[in-house]
Amino acid sequence: AGIEVVEFVNAVVATFSAVPGDYLRVPQENVLRGRPNSGPAPDERSLFPGFVALVFAIAAFVPPRSRISILYLILAIVAADLSLGVNGVLFAALPGVFSPAESLRAPARFGALVLLSVAVLASIGAARFYRRWPHLAPLVSVALTLLCLAEYWSSPIAVRA
């Protein structure tokens, strides 16, 4: 019975381990790009940060680069690898370094740290834009808000029993 439990846990971890393509997948409820059948664990493995966020995150690396930008890039890379779980490098070593990590069953949730890092980098990129063209800041802020609302709009949100 113990072997069956270990095999079940390994299967769960494999199911909830992201693959690189999950960083291009949106939630199935997304109005613009969602699909009803978006593969295994669609809630956990829909990790696309959005085009607007990516564009402004890239803008964070226009010279001069800040140490904060590089720090968040490193955090994003490490978190992305951890989110890959059994498909990555670092997740297998994590329990040896941090024993409570043995109870992690959904490595793709590390993707939230990737999304957080991209959000911070996008805010750095937007701040650079605002400093360069301060007279456009209010207009650009409204436009970015509307673009993000359109890109991220998901409806209806499913409820589990």
Side-chain angles (χ1 to χ4, degrees), residues 3-152:
I3 293 173
E4 292 172 0
V5 170
V6 170
E7 289 175 359
F8 173 75
V9 168
N10 289 341
V12 168
V13 170
T15 299
F16 291 100
S17 291
V19 296
D22 291 339
Y23 282 94
L24 298 174
R25 184 168 33 164
V26 299
Q28 57 190 4
E29 300 88 6
N30 183 276
V31 173
L32 291 178
R33 296 184 44 229
R35 290 181 299 206
N37 183 9
S38 58
D43 294 340
E44 302 290 338
R45 291 177 43 188
S46 297
L47 302 172
F48 182 63
F51 291 112
V52 175
L54 287 175
V55 166
F56 279 88
I58 291 167
F61 295 98
V62 173
R65 291 175 202 90
S66 70
R67 289 182 182 171
I68 297 292
S69 296
I70 294 170
L71 176 69
Y72 275 97
L73 176 63
I74 292 168
L75 175 62
I77 292 168
V78 169
D81 184 69
L82 287 170
S83 75
L84 297 176
V86 298
N87 305 312
V89 176
L90 298 174
F91 189 77
L94 193 58
V97 177
F98 183 67
S99 60
E102 292 178 358
S103 62
L104 295 173
R105 299 289 175 252
R109 291 182 183 166
F110 280 106
L113 293 176
V114 176
L115 300 178
L116 173 67
S117 299
V118 169
V120 170
L121 290 169
S123 68
I124 292 169
R128 286 179 174 210
F129 181 88
Y130 295 153
R131 277 194 298 275
R132 184 167 177 132
W133 295 288
H135 61 284
L136 293 177
L139 179 64
V140 171
S141 293
V142 170
L144 287 177
T145 300
L146 293 174
L147 282 171
C148 286
L149 279 172
E151 184 174 23
Y152 297 134

